[in-house]
Structure formats: structure tokens, C-alpha cells
Amino acid sequence: MLGSAGPRRPAAGGATSRGLQPAAAIGSLGTVYLTYNASNGKNCVATIRNNPGAAVDMALWIEVPETWERGEDYGRYTSYAGPAYVYGKGHCVDWGGGISNVHVQVYNSNCGALKEHRVTEVR
């Protein structure tokens, strides 16, 4: 996602050659996206602002609870944070992101029969 051309937004509808792309709105400020690459078993997460501008606090994280593998990115960015990657083939993942003081967390994602749980909070 990093590069001079700017971030690429995931395709509308959520499906691409990289796999299903769940997304979670961060209030009205932007979205945190989760992608999965079936060819290498890696999950990727990135946070993208709806309206890029002056640098603000942005964050993202992803974790495989069964293995404790974790990726994260925190800082002041103008348009997007990330990406961060973890190997998660055959495992549930927890992930989330934030922009300014609004954060979203998603638990039990990509778990098949388990129901995903989302939490949005203003800090």
C-alpha cells in the first residue's frame, strides 16, 4: 500500500484475487480493512481516512490469538496507516484501527462458525 501513487482502496463488494475483504467503519472518519491472501496464508490490515489532510493520530493492529503473532502501526499520518501482516491460515484473527479518538475493534474474524464481535469507541 505504500508508494508514491497513494493508497489503493479495496474493491467495492469486498472480493478480489487476494480474498475476502472485511471492513469496519471508524465512525465517519475512515475505514480499517482486512485482507487475506490464500496463496501465502497472510492477513493484512490497513486504515484509510475518508478525507486525507493534516496529519492526525492513526492506528491499526492485527493479532492471531492462538499464536500471539501480532502486527501494528501507530503514528501521525495524512491519509493511511499500515499495512501490517500476520500469518493466520486456519486461525481466527482479531483486528482493528483508529483515527483521532475513534477506534474500532473486531474479534473472532474469519472464524467460520464463530460470530464476529465488533466494538466502536470514542476515547
Side-chain angles (χ1 to χ4, degrees), residues 24-84:
I26 304 171
S28 63
L29 301 175
T31 305
V32 58
Y33 294 94
L34 173 69
T35 64
Y36 178 74
N37 185 328
S39 68
N40 64 17
K42 288 193 176 185
N43 290 275
C44 171
V45 67
T47 298
I48 302 175
R49 288 174 66 180
N50 287 338
N51 298 302
V56 297
D57 291 335
M58 295 182 69
L60 61 85
W61 62 274
I62 184 168
E63 183 175 286
V64 180
E66 292 178 20
T67 66
W68 295 100
E69 185 173 354
R70 183 176 175 91
E72 58 188 32
D73 183 24
Y74 298 90
R76 293 185 60 80
Y77 300 107
T78 59
S79 60
Y80 64 97

Side-chain angles (χ1 to χ4, degrees), residues 1 4 8-9 14 27 36 38 40 53-54 64 70-71 74 77-79 85 87 90-91 97-98 100 116 118 123:
M1 289 192 159
S4 60
R8 290 184 170 174
R9 292 182 185 268
Y36 178 74
N40 64 17
V64 180
R70 183 176 175 91
Y74 298 90
Y77 300 107
T78 59
S79 60
Y85 301 91
Y87 180 82
H91 299 283
S100 295
E116 186 176 90
R118 293 181 184 222
R123 296 180 185 166

